[in-house]
Amino acid sequence: MTRRSTTTRMSPGRRRVAAGVGCLLSALVLALLPLPRGADQARAATTESSAVTRSGAKGVYGDDFSDLKVTVHQTKDLTGQGVRVTWTGGKPSTNSETNFLSVMQCWGDADSGPDRTQCEFGLAAGGQNGDGRAVAQGTTSGHDPLESDSATPVDKNGTHYVPFRPVEGQGDPTAGPTDTTYFTDGDTNADPFMPNDGDGGGDISFELKSAVEQPALGCGARTTSAGGIQPCWLVVVPRGTHDPNGQTHTGGAQVTSSLSRSNWDQRIVFRLGFAPVTDSCDPDKPERGIMGSELATDAITSWQTALCRTGTYRFNFTQSGEGQARSAVTSGDSEAGLALTVDPVEPVDGQAQVVHAPVAVSGLTIGFVWMYTHTTGAGDDLHSEQLPLTELKLNQRLLAKVLTQSYPFSVTQPSDGVPDYLTGNPESIVKDPEFLKLNPGLQGQAAVNAPLGLAVTADNTDSARLVWKYILADSDAREFIEGKKDPWGMKVNPAYKDGVISDSLDFFPKTDLTPTQVVCLTGNVTRTAQDVVPYVNDMHDGALKVRRGSIGTAYTCASGDPLPRLSAEPRPIPTNQRQYGIVDNASAVRYQLGAAALPNADGDYVTPTDASLLKAVAEMPDSDVAGVKTSDPAKMRDGAYPLTAVVYAASSLDQAKDARQDYAKVMRYAAGAGQTQGTAKGELPYGYAPLPAALRTQAKQAADRLEKGATDAGGSSGGTSSGGDDLSGTGGGGTAGGGVTGGTGDGSAGTSGAAAGGAGASGTPRPSTAPSETDPAQQNVAQSGGHTPSEVLGLIRWVLLGVLVAGGAAALSGPVMLRLSVRGAASANIPGGKPE
C-alpha cells in the first residue's frame, strides 16, 4: 500500500497506479525521432509499439472523413495518465463550430466495443460545441433525423438525452443531461471540441482515467471470465461542416452533441489495454514499512507489483517529506525501516550506522500546459488561433520572481488592479522583458493569458531545498531576492525581504498574506494570494491540475451558499489552459506536460532527458556522508540538467535480521530488474533514467552490508549475494551509451562506496507500445492503415536495444513481496473507490 504523509507521520493520502511507458534506447534513436510536445523530458522508447492509427469514413451531406487519420500513441499498459492523440487529413477549422474532433473515454464490451451510454461525455467546461448529452429527433435545426424518441429517455423537463450508464455495481444511469453523479465540468476528461489546425490536423494530450480515478468506467478493474482485464475504449467523433439534418452549419446555431446518432455513427474507436489496479498481495501477510521521497513514488509503486510474488512480508510505502523518513530510520521506528531520501542520513555518535543504496535517478521539472495566441496576416486577412506552447525557457531570476509572488496578478484578481507595493512590476510573466527576451514568440500576449503562479506543494522536502539551492546559486537571482531591482526595474515583493529565503529552505513559503475584501451576497470574505495561487497536495496532484489547466484559483463568491466563501474558478476550455508547476519528472511525463528548459552552470538551457539526468549524476560531488552524492546545481555543466536528484534507500544496520534481509531484497531489486525501463509493472517508469552501472554495484554492496548487520565492523563484500533473493539477476536493464567511471569507496559499513556517475541512455520521445487491435465488429469505423511511424521505429528500437544490451541476464523470480499500491485517494476497494 502506498500512502502519503506530510504533517503527521503515516497519515493516508493520495495513491496512484504507477505507470510508465517504454524501454531503454540509445542516443541514436533520439536523433531519429521527431519530438512531440513535451518529448524533451526523460523518456525512453519501447521495443514494441502500441500506437494505433485509424482512418475515418465518408460521411453524409458532403462531409468526407476518409482522409482523416487519427493516431493514439499508447494503447497498452495504461493507467491514470496522459496519452498523446494526433491527427492529420481533416479540413482546417475556420470558426468555433465546424471541423473539429470530440474525444472521450468509454467502457464497453470486449467484442462489440462501447455504445454511447458508456462514455464519459457531456458537462465539459465552458459549454463547448459538440458537448452535452441532450439529443432531439427531427429535421429542423439542432435535430437529428436518425434519432428515435423511443430510444432515449426523457428528463423531468421533457428533454431527450443519452444517459451515462456506469459499469455494474457503480450505480444507476444518469437522470438527465446535466446529472453530475459521476463526473462534473471540473473533473471530466472529455474533450468535446478540439479544432483542426490550419493544416487539418492536431496534437493533444488526453487524460485517461483508471478505475482509481473513475470507478464508473472501471478501467483496469473489470475482468473477463478467464481473469484477464476487460478493455476500455477511446472514441473519436469527427465533425465537419454539416448538421445531422443536412444543413451547412454557417455559425450561430446550436451545434448538436457528438453523441447524437448521426454524429456518433462516424466514430473512430480505439481499444485501450489498462494495467490491473487490483491488489494481488495477500492482505493477511504482515507489513514492512517504507517511507520517504515523492521522487521515488512512481518507481516504488511499479516495483511493488513485481515484488509481490513470494516472501513472508509485504511492503507498504508512505510518501512523506524526506526529513521525516530519515528520522523514522534513525529512531528505530519499526513502521518504516527503509527511508527513500535525496539528502543522506547524517551519522550520529552512538547510533547504528545507516547504509545508503542508490535506487533511482530523477529530478524536478517545471511542467507546463500553455496555450498562446498566434496571430498571422493583417487587415482583412488577420487570423488568430490558440496553439500549444512547445518550448519554454526560464532562468533562476524568473523562478525567483514567480516564487516570491512578485507579479501582481499572482496576489490579486486583475480587476482589483495592482497593489501599491508592487507598482511598476509587470502584471504577469508574459509582460516581463526578461521573460520575453528568452521567449520572443510570446511577444504581444495579454497579461491575463499567462499562468498566475507556479503550482507547488506546502511540504518540507529535499526537492524544495534543491530548487532554492539552484536559484540562489545564481547571483542575479540572489540579488533580486535581497532587494536589488532587475535591469528593467522590477523589484521583489517586500514580503520576502529580511532573510525569508535561504539555500537551506525546504519548502515554498507564500509570505504575502495581504487581505482583499470580497463582497458576497451573504457577507464579506477575505481573499489572499494563497487563494489566487493555492498549494497543491503533492507534486502528482500538481501535475494533474496543470494537465487540466486548473489549480483551484478562487477569486469570487460561491453562489447559493448560505455562508460567504470563495469558489474556485471554472475549469477553462482546452484552448484557454495556461498553467505550470514544480513537479517530479515522473508525474510530468505521466501527464504529458511540457518541460521548461533551465540554464545549467555553463549557461546552456537544458531539459530533463535520460542523457541530461545521467550527465548530472556524473557531475555530482560527494556529500559529507560517504557513498552519497549531493545535488549541486552550481556544478552542473556539459549538458547536465540542474534539478537532477539521486534517490537513496537508507536503512539502519541495527534492525532484526529478518527485517534487514527483506529491505536488502528491495535494494537488490531496485538495482537490478527495477532499472529496466518499460510499461509493465515492475519496470522503471518514465521520468527516471536507468542507474549507471557503478551505482547499481554500489546499491547491491549496500544490500550485502545491510544483510550482514551491525555485527560486522568491516567493509562491504564485493558483488551481490548469490542466493535466490536477488530478483534482479545480475544485470536488469542495461543503459545505452556506456557505463560510469570511478571506483567505489572503502565500503565501510555500507555507508561509503560511492562511484562517479556517468552519462548513459539518452531520452527519447514518449513512445507508443504494441500492435494495433482489430475493430469490434459492430463499430462503423475505418480500417487501420498499416504500420504507423511509431510501429516502424519500434522494430528499429528492438534491434538497437538487442545490440546494446545483448548478454544481459534475465530477471530471476524470488521471495520478495511488495503490495501493489496506487497513489490517489486512499480507498480500500477497487473499483469501489472514489474518483479524484
Side-chain angles (χ1 to χ4, degrees):
M1 171 163 57
T2 301
R3 296 191 286 257
R4 178 179 180 272
S5 175
T6 53
T7 56
T8 57
R9 183 174 55 80
M10 300 295 287
S11 64
R14 184 170 301 273
R15 297 180 182 176
R16 51 179 160 166
V17 177
V21 188
C23 298
L24 179 62
L25 189 65
S26 71
L28 174 61
V29 177
L30 178 62
L32 293 175
L33 279 173
L35 295 179
R37 189 169 72 253
D40 49 358
Q41 298 168 352
R43 306 175 183 201
T46 55
T47 58
E48 181 184 20
S49 170
S50 72
V52 175
T53 297
R54 300 201 186 284
S55 298
K58 188 172 182 178
V60 294
Y61 310 126
D63 283 326
D64 187 353
F65 304 112
S66 56
D67 290 333
L68 177 68
K69 296 185 183 299
V70 181
T71 299
V72 178
H73 289 258
Q74 184 192 347
T75 60
K76 298 284 188 179
D77 295 325
L78 297 162
T79 183
Q81 64 175 83
V83 65
R84 188 174 179 226
V85 179
T86 60
W87 65 96
T88 60
K91 302 293 191 300
S93 179
T94 57
N95 56 47
S96 61
E97 300 171 348
T98 60
N99 294 322
F100 63 93
L101 303 185
S102 290
V103 187
M104 64 196 81
Q105 183 181 343
C106 315
W107 65 280
D109 185 79
D111 296 321
S112 62
D115 65 48
R116 56 184 179 161
T117 69
Q118 297 167 324
C119 299
E120 180 168 319
F121 192 78
L123 303 176
Q128 301 168 48
N129 284 318
D131 191 29
R133 304 190 73 92
V135 296
Q137 181 186 15
T139 59
T140 60
S141 178
H143 292 60
D144 187 343
L146 295 187
E147 280 294 343
S148 168
D149 284 349
S150 62
T152 52
V154 180
D155 72 358
K156 60 183 180 181
N157 298 317
T159 301
H160 283 266
Y161 69 98
V162 178
F164 172 71
R165 186 161 50 89
V167 296
E168 183 178 357
Q170 291 303 310
D172 298 323
T174 52
T178 58
D179 188 333
T180 59
T181 300
Y182 302 105
F183 50 88
T184 70
D185 59 356
D187 61 21
T188 181
N189 63 354
D191 283 331
F193 181 79
M194 301 307 303
N196 300 338
D197 62 24
D199 296 322
D203 187 338
I204 65 170
S205 293
F206 183 83
E207 178 198 340
L208 291 178
K209 296 179 179 180
S210 73
V212 175
E213 295 82 24
Q214 177 52 288
L217 291 174
C219 299
R222 298 170 59 236
T223 57
T224 65
S225 58
I229 299 297
Q230 290 269 18
C232 277
W233 308 88
L234 188 138
V235 173
V236 175
V237 178
R239 304 292 299 274
T241 59
H242 290 82
D243 293 326
N245 64 0
Q247 295 178 348
T248 300
H249 201 95
T250 57
Q254 179 182 358
V255 178
T256 55
S257 168
S258 291
L259 295 184
S260 192
R261 176 60 61 185
S262 294
N263 300 323
W264 175 256
D265 284 349
Q266 295 298 318
R267 68 196 178 278
I268 305 170
V269 179
F270 299 83
R271 180 188 294 259
L272 301 177
F274 274 75
V277 298
T278 50
D279 190 340
S280 59
C281 296
D282 183 353
D284 295 328
K285 288 184 178 179
E287 293 183 347
R288 297 280 189 210
I290 303 173
M291 69 184 302
S293 179
E294 184 175 5
L295 290 177
T297 299
D298 268 14
I300 193 69
T301 308
S302 175
W303 298 337
Q304 282 173 320
T305 299
L307 292 168
C308 282
R309 295 174 185 161
T310 60
T312 56
Y313 282 83
R314 58 191 176 98
F315 293 85
N316 68 62
F317 172 63
T318 299
Q319 182 182 294
S320 72
E322 293 88 349
Q324 191 176 352
R326 291 190 288 268
S327 296
V329 167
T330 56
S331 67
D333 190 336
S334 61
E335 291 185 340
L338 189 72
L340 297 176
T341 181
V342 176
D343 293 340
V345 177
E346 297 287 346
V348 177
D349 291 341
Q351 290 188 357
Q353 290 181 312
V354 173
V355 297
H356 293 82
V359 295
V361 174
S362 188
L364 303 172
T365 299
I366 312 300
F368 66 89
V369 170
W370 193 328
M371 302 297 291
Y372 73 100
T373 303
H374 176 67
T375 304
T376 58
D380 294 339
D381 294 328
L382 185 67
H383 176 68
S384 296
E385 60 181 338
Q386 298 297 313
L387 296 178
L389 189 66
T390 58
E391 295 182 356
L392 177 67
K393 290 183 178 179
L394 298 171
N395 61 25
Q396 295 94 325
R397 185 161 55 194
L398 288 170
L399 290 175
K401 292 174 179 180
V402 177
L403 290 173
T404 58
Q405 301 172 287
S406 295
Y407 294 109
F409 285 0
S410 69
V411 299
T412 188
Q413 187 176 14
S415 61
D416 293 336
V418 175
D420 292 340
Y421 57 91
L422 294 178
T423 299
N425 283 4
E427 300 98 323
S428 71
I429 196 169
V430 293
K431 293 300 182 182
D432 188 338
E434 182 172 18
F435 175 79
L436 293 174
K437 184 177 179 180
L438 292 176
N439 302 277
L442 293 175
Q443 292 277 356
Q445 301 294 302
V448 294
N449 290 346
L452 299 176
L454 282 167
V456 297
T457 72
D459 299 344
N460 299 84
T461 64
D462 293 352
S463 296
R465 182 160 41 240
L466 173 58
V467 172
W468 290 120
K469 285 173 63 177
Y470 173 61
I471 291 172
L472 294 174
D474 178 74
S475 59
D476 290 339
R478 184 175 63 253
E479 290 172 355
F480 177 82
I481 290 173
E482 292 171 349
K484 181 180 178 180
K485 293 183 179 180
D486 78 357
W488 300 271
M490 183 173 177
K491 57 183 179 292
V492 70
N493 188 323
Y496 287 84
K497 290 184 177 179
D498 303 322
V500 173
I501 306 300
S502 71
D503 59 7
S504 62
L505 191 65
D506 67 350
F507 69 103
F508 299 106
K510 293 183 183 291
T511 310
D512 187 348
L513 297 178
T514 304
T516 299
Q517 290 298 312
V518 181
V519 180
C520 301
L521 292 176
T522 55
N524 295 346
V525 63
T526 299
R527 183 181 64 223
T528 71
Q530 287 203 38
D531 298 306
V532 178
V533 185
Y535 285 112
V536 294
N537 294 329
D538 60 14
M539 291 189 286
H540 171 265
D541 178 55
L544 179 57
K545 287 178 175 177
V546 170
R547 172 75 272 156
R548 292 178 174 177
S550 177
I551 61 173
T553 294
Y555 283 139
T556 56
C557 302
S559 60
D561 198 309
L563 296 177
R565 65 178 182 85
L566 296 175
S567 177
E569 291 298 293
R571 180 177 169 184
I573 64 175
T575 52
N576 289 337
Q577 292 176 352
R578 302 173 188 94
Q579 299 291 351
Y580 55 9
I582 299 177
V583 301
D584 62 297
N585 202 50
S587 292
V589 172
R590 177 174 177 169
Y591 288 107
Q592 298 274 300
L593 305 184
L598 303 176
N600 61 14
D602 289 329
D604 297 328
Y605 282 81
V606 185
T607 56
T609 64
D610 284 351
S612 64
L613 292 174
L614 291 173
K615 184 61 181 177
V617 176
E619 300 290 322
M620 287 181 183
D622 293 332
S623 70
D624 293 336
V625 174
V628 179
K629 290 179 170 296
T630 184
S631 299
D632 190 345
K635 292 182 169 59
M636 297 296 102
R637 301 183 180 278
D638 194 23
Y641 180 67
L643 295 183
T644 302
V646 177
V647 179
Y648 289 84
S651 191
S652 172
L653 297 182
D654 189 18
Q655 299 184 77
K657 181 179 180 180
D658 59 345
R660 288 186 282 105
Q661 289 175 331
D662 286 340
Y663 289 129
K665 294 171 185 176
V666 176
M667 293 178 178
R668 291 193 185 104
Y669 183 84
Q675 293 303 315
T676 301
Q677 287 181 314
T679 63
K681 293 187 177 183
E683 296 179 325
L684 188 68
Y686 281 110
Y688 298 95
L691 280 176
L695 293 190
R696 297 188 196 196
T697 299
Q698 179 191 343
K700 293 173 183 178
Q701 290 173 341
D704 291 343
R705 186 67 193 92
L706 177 61
E707 198 166 46
K708 291 179 180 178
T711 57
D712 181 3
S716 64
S717 62
T720 63
S721 294
S722 58
D725 295 337
D726 189 355
L727 300 184
S728 67
T730 58
T735 56
V740 200
T741 59
T744 59
D746 61 14
S748 60
T751 58
S752 59
S762 66
T764 60
R766 181 162 191 149
S768 339
T769 92
S772 61
E773 301 283 350
T774 58
D775 293 320
Q778 297 183 18
Q779 300 296 340
N780 178 21
V781 296
Q783 297 299 313
S784 177
H787 293 293
T788 67
S790 296
E791 290 172 322
V792 175
L793 283 172
L795 300 175
I796 299 173
R797 294 170 187 147
W798 180 262
V799 176
L800 288 175
L801 185 61
V803 173
L804 291 167
V805 299
L812 303 174
S813 61
V816 179
M817 187 70 177
L818 284 175
R819 182 179 176 183
L820 167 64
S821 296
V822 183
R823 185 208 305 252
S827 52
N829 298 312
I830 301 297
K834 298 295 182 185
E836 292 184 344

